[in-house]
Amino acid sequence: MNNPTIAAVVFPARDFNESVAAWSTVFGTGPTFSSDGIEKAPGDADFAVFKSAETEIGLTSMPWVDEPLVLLSTDDIDASRQELIAAGAMPLGEIADGSLAVLGTAPITNGNPETGIVDVPGFRLAVVELADGSKVGLRQPLNSSW
């Protein structure tokens, strides 16, 4: 991944409404998108996105990570993911409690069980753990009518 660009930074939001209120003060407006208000099953995550011309900040109540997660843009998530794995990264996938685990250590419950890649409206997402323990996400836009 030569010269990667940051697509978004996703922050954990354990108190979702408080996090949305806090980031609304930073952007001077509410989120561009929020799952708040959309009917969800009990325990389902909330997600919000704040956007400006140069910046995209996401908030999630899912326990994927306990620190901000940088998502890098890619046109080919499969190739970028493989390149990082070949360089020593470990592929991650979402498990039953909503957190991430190294593929093969627990059943993957959301996304492709072989790759950990998750399709969400408009994007494909993957997360790997680099050799130093840092996590980095990959985001590929989808050409679809979601």
Side-chain angles (χ1 to χ4, degrees), residues 8 15 20 24 30 33 40 53 66 70 73 84 88 90 92 98 100 106 109 112 119 121 126 132 136-137 141 144:
D15 183 330
V20 168
S24 292
F33 169 82
K40 299 176 290 296
D66 291 321
V70 174
S73 293
L84 292 170
M90 300 294 293
L92 303 176
L100 298 174
T109 58
N112 183 315
D119 291 331
D132 71 349
V136 66
S144 71

Side-chain angles (χ1 to χ4, degrees), residues 1 5-8 51 56 71-78 80 117-126 137-146:
M1 294 195 63
T5 59
I6 296 174
K51 291 176 93 169
E56 184 171 321
L71 295 171
L72 302 176
S73 293
T74 180
D75 292 328
D76 186 341
I77 199 165
D78 295 300
S80 296
I117 295 173
V118 177
D119 291 331
V120 299
F123 300 98
R124 299 183 79 203
L125 307 174
L138 301 171
R139 185 175 89 170
Q140 175 186 328
L142 287 175
N143 296 325
S144 71
S145 58
W146 281 47

Side-chain angles (χ1 to χ4, degrees), residues 4-77:
T5 59
I6 296 174
V9 179
V10 179
F11 288 85
R14 300 305 179 246
D15 183 330
F16 183 74
N17 292 330
E18 185 176 316
S19 293
V20 168
W23 280 96
S24 292
T25 65
V26 172
F27 279 80
T29 186
T32 305
F33 169 82
S34 179
S35 63
D36 191 40
I38 297 173
E39 189 173 331
K40 299 176 290 296
D44 278 359
D46 285 300
F47 188 77
V49 175
F50 291 84
K51 291 176 93 169
S52 70
E54 297 85 24
T55 306
E56 184 171 321
I57 299 293
L59 304 174
T60 182
S61 63
M62 291 186 69
W64 266 26
V65 292
D66 291 321
E67 63 278 335
L69 178 65
V70 174
L71 295 171
L72 302 176
S73 293
T74 180
D75 292 328
D76 186 341
I77 199 165

Side-chain angles (χ1 to χ4, degrees), residues 87-112:
M90 300 294 293
L92 303 176
E94 186 178 330
I95 60 174
D97 68 0
S99 66
L100 298 174
V102 174
L103 293 182
T105 63
I108 302 304
T109 58
N110 184 21
N112 183 315

